[in-house]
Amino acid sequence: MERFKKIFSWVLKALGSIVLIFFLFIAGIHFFSRQEKALAKEFLLLAGDKNYEAAFELTSNDLRKIYPLQMLKSQFETLQAYTEVSFNTVHIGSGKTTLFGTATTAGNCISSIAFVVIDNHISTFQIDNPCLDDQVAA
């Protein structure tokens, strides 16, 4: 019986250690990606507020070359403003952070979003199923 208690104690300690390491890993990912999450959220909120120049400044030089300010304006003019942004998946590695999540409008329209952030600038972004202005119920 004493041997069983020892084995059970070791198993509990091992499981507790695994849970603690997992928790620290997840907390570390959230901690180290908080700046990138804030950057992506700010980009969507600025574009939603029609402050295109400020949103454009958050993008990388490479993205600016292929996605100029006028294109950003023309595409975001047709979108409803996103009021809530959240990220549920984060990948950190190779000098970049990739964020996946959702953006929600005041009218509860939800779009899937993805951002790649390199050197504290948005390198690429994608909005799937965008919430267009003409989708707002009258």
Side-chain angles (χ1 to χ4, degrees), residues 22 24 29 37 68 72-73 86 88 95 97 99-100 103 114 128 135:
F22 180 74
L24 290 173
I29 287 175
K37 289 178 183 178
L72 177 89
K73 285 180 181 180
S86 64
N88 52 17
T97 302
L99 308 166
F100 299 96
D128 292 330
Q135 293 173 330

Side-chain angles (χ1 to χ4, degrees), residues 16-76:
S17 296
I18 290 170
V19 168
L20 179 63
I21 289 170
F22 180 74
F23 174 76
L24 290 173
F25 177 74
I26 297 298
I29 287 175
H30 287 287
F31 177 77
F32 289 113
S33 66
R34 71 188 186 286
Q35 189 172 5
E36 289 84 354
K37 289 178 183 178
L39 179 73
K41 181 177 181 176
E42 182 179 6
F43 174 82
L44 284 177
L45 295 178
L46 286 169
D49 288 339
K50 310 295 186 216
N51 192 346
Y52 304 117
E53 290 80 11
F56 190 70
E57 287 300 314
L58 301 177
T59 62
S60 69
N61 288 333
D62 290 339
L63 182 58
R64 290 176 195 168
K65 290 175 187 172
I66 60 173
Y67 194 73
L69 178 60
Q70 193 55 41
M71 186 181 291
L72 177 89
K73 285 180 181 180
S74 68
Q75 290 184 343
F76 273 89

